[in-house]
Amino acid sequence: MSHRQPRGPRLPAWTATLTWKAAVFITVMCCALAALLGALVHVSVTNQTVGQARERALVHLKEVTERYEAGDRLGPGAGVDPPGLPQSLRDLAVSGQRATMVASHESRPTMWAAGPADGGRAIAVQVDYAQGARTIDGLDRAILGSSVLAIGATLLVGAFAVTRVTRRLHQTAQVARRISAGDLDARVNDPHSGPQAEGPVRHQDEVAAVAGALDTMASSLQGKLLSEQRFTADVAHELRTPLTGLHAAAELLPPGRPTELVRDRVAALRTLTEDLLEISRLDAKSERVDLDAHHLAPLAERVVRSSGAGTELVVARDVCVETDRRRLERVLGNLVANAHKHGRAPVLVTVDGPVVTVRDHGDGYPDYLVEHGPQRFRTEGTTKGHGLGLTIALGQAAVLGARLTFANAEDGGAVATLRLPFGDGAEDGGEPG
């Protein structure tokens, strides 16, 4: 039996931003560079300072040794086995070597130099190293202070530069989301890309290239969609005239089965043409709503009554909403008709406040429809219909400011849910006026 390892604490969401990552990267790189340069300068200056002190100490030791061999007085700071002489340095001197060492003597940094003397003793001198130690300490503080200032200044400048880039990226992402939501007029209009760039022609940065490509894609997509919308509208308009004549001619045919078939096909063509005209108006966003106060229960009841047998109405809670009655009946009528055409009875219409659901007990919606919404002229599992009914219902719901979603029930059947806008001050319940 496997055991899942517990995950550590998750970082806050803002740590995933490019600004934070760039700030951390700049800080780490600046700290590493400052530490490297500081170490190099510290080592170089320390070696130079210690070298100068060692040279002075060895020169002094040579002079003291000459005076010792001549029997003269050694002078201050010199002596044979003087107190405070480091033992390791004395051992080197007794062994016959001349050596130096920095050590603390009487709480002061001191440079010692020692050499051999007679009788297994060591002659040594001491040179004050306090000034050199202060020089190194001051240098270390200067390096630390300048590194902090340099890191802070670099971080501010880097954060400013990265913030400008991320702000442009956020703007580009927002425009991309607006385009995906259907706002094809949205554009980035980055001042550093395309014809908007001011001043002399210069190379674009990567963000400007992405923004320009997104604007070009949106313009191309908008042009293609407008062309398709014009084509759909033109075809529908052109079909109207011959269909009117065809309908009149069909009415003049003698009664019989062939005449019924012709009239049925002509009626289907007229319905398809009207649907195409309605879709073209929805695509062009030329529809205007006529809002008024309506109770949902009586309105849903009229739709159920006109749909014929096999449709049930359940009113859990009735409300009065501001809506366009004709468009709302069109949406509900299309949903009920689609449920009868592609599903199985019973078809259940439920009113629960501002939410109306239409459910059948068939095989459910296709996967593509649940994931991406209805697509015109695409149906699966049946040859009936053209996929326009749900497309019109979705478009009319958007005009009403409502939200129409499609799902499949767990125990089978398709479920369409219409959520109408409902303000806090709207009237709840009661009888229609």
Side-chain angles (χ1 to χ4, degrees):
M1 182 177 181
S2 61
H3 297 278
R4 183 173 296 178
Q5 294 292 336
R7 294 183 179 180
R10 298 187 64 179
L11 295 176
W14 57 266
T15 58
T17 61
L18 182 60
T19 303
W20 186 84
K21 293 179 179 179
V24 171
F25 175 77
I26 293 174
T27 303
V28 171
M29 293 302 297
C30 287
C31 290
L33 183 60
L36 177 61
L37 293 178
L40 292 176
V41 173
H42 173 83
V43 170
S44 176
V45 173
T46 300
N47 289 337
Q48 183 179 359
T49 304
V50 172
Q52 292 174 353
R54 179 182 292 113
E55 185 177 354
R56 292 198 307 270
L58 290 175
V59 170
H60 191 195
L61 176 64
K62 182 179 179 181
E63 295 174 352
V64 169
T65 301
E66 291 175 353
R67 287 200 296 269
Y68 175 75
E69 292 175 351
D72 296 336
R73 185 172 177 272
L74 300 182
V80 177
D81 288 340
L85 179 65
Q87 184 62 39
S88 58
L89 182 61
R90 183 184 182 283
D91 294 340
L92 288 174
V94 170
S95 65
Q97 302 182 37
R98 286 190 173 187
T100 59
M101 177 182 290
V102 177
S104 177
H105 179 60
E106 297 179 355
S107 302
R108 292 177 62 85
T110 302
M111 173 64 74
W112 289 92
D118 56 355
R121 295 180 299 173
I123 184 171
V125 299
Q126 51 181 314
V127 177
D128 186 20
Y129 190 67
Q131 181 61 39
R134 285 194 296 269
T135 299
I136 295 175
D137 291 341
L139 176 65
D140 290 342
R141 288 192 296 270
I143 291 174
L144 180 61
S146 60
S147 298
V148 171
L149 290 177
I151 291 173
T154 305
L155 186 59
L156 289 176
V157 174
F160 174 74
V162 172
T163 301
R164 292 189 61 188
V165 174
T166 55
R167 187 184 301 116
R168 293 165 61 194
L169 287 174
H170 281 307
Q171 181 183 1
T172 303
Q174 289 175 356
V175 171
R177 284 191 289 266
R178 288 172 56 189
I179 293 174
S180 65
D183 184 8
L184 297 182
D185 292 325
R187 296 292 185 275
V188 180
N189 293 327
D190 192 296
H192 301 85
S193 67
Q196 294 84 11
E198 299 177 357
V201 178
R202 56 182 177 179
H203 295 290
Q204 297 180 359
D205 59 17
E206 287 78 2
V207 180
V210 172
L214 180 63
D215 287 347
T216 302
M217 180 199 70
S219 298
S220 175
L221 180 62
Q222 186 179 37
K224 291 180 179 179
L225 289 178
L226 289 176
S227 177
E228 292 180 0
Q229 292 172 8
R230 285 194 297 268
F231 175 77
T232 302
D234 292 343
V235 168
H237 279 290
E238 292 298 326
L239 285 175
R240 255 184 165 182
T241 301
L243 279 176
T244 302
L246 188 60
H247 177 73
E251 293 297 327
L252 299 177
L253 293 176
R257 180 59 180 168
T259 300
E260 292 178 0
L261 293 176
V262 171
R263 290 176 178 174
D264 180 67
R265 292 300 88 197
V266 170
L269 281 175
R270 293 188 67 181
T271 301
L272 176 60
T273 303
E274 295 298 328
D275 287 346
L276 289 174
L277 285 173
E278 186 172 357
I279 287 178
S280 66
R281 290 193 298 268
L282 291 172
D283 289 340
K285 301 186 184 303
S286 60
E287 298 281 27
R288 296 294 179 268
V289 293
D290 183 14
L291 296 179
D292 200 358
H294 297 280
H295 281 261
L296 284 181
L299 192 147
E301 186 180 357
R302 283 194 296 269
V303 173
V304 169
R305 193 185 311 114
S306 62
S307 66
T311 306
E312 301 177 8
L313 174 64
V314 176
V315 179
R317 180 169 63 97
D318 187 19
V319 294
C320 184
V321 296
E322 290 284 336
T323 188
D324 188 322
R325 182 185 60 82
R326 181 184 64 84
R327 297 184 189 279
L328 183 54
E329 289 183 352
R330 173 72 160 152
V331 172
L332 295 179
N334 280 16
L335 294 178
V336 172
N338 182 83
H340 281 291
K341 183 180 295 184
H342 300 285
R344 286 191 297 270
V347 175
L348 183 64
V349 178
T350 304
V351 178
D352 187 2
V355 180
V356 183
T357 58
V358 179
R359 177 187 175 179
D360 62 52
H361 291 76
D363 298 329
Y365 292 121
D367 292 337
Y368 80 89
L369 193 148
V370 175
E371 295 178 5
H372 306 291
Q375 300 177 18
R376 60 194 71 175
F377 296 107
R378 178 178 178 181
T379 57
E380 292 185 2
T382 179
T383 58
K384 299 182 293 182
H386 305 86
L388 300 181
L390 294 183
T391 303
I392 293 174
L394 188 64
Q396 292 290 7
V399 173
L400 292 173
R403 183 166 177 257
L404 179 59
T405 57
F406 304 94
N408 291 322
E410 293 182 358
D411 55 348
V415 181
T417 304
L418 178 68
R419 292 176 174 83
L420 294 163
F422 185 65
D424 293 337
E427 181 185 351
D428 189 355
E431 296 296 331

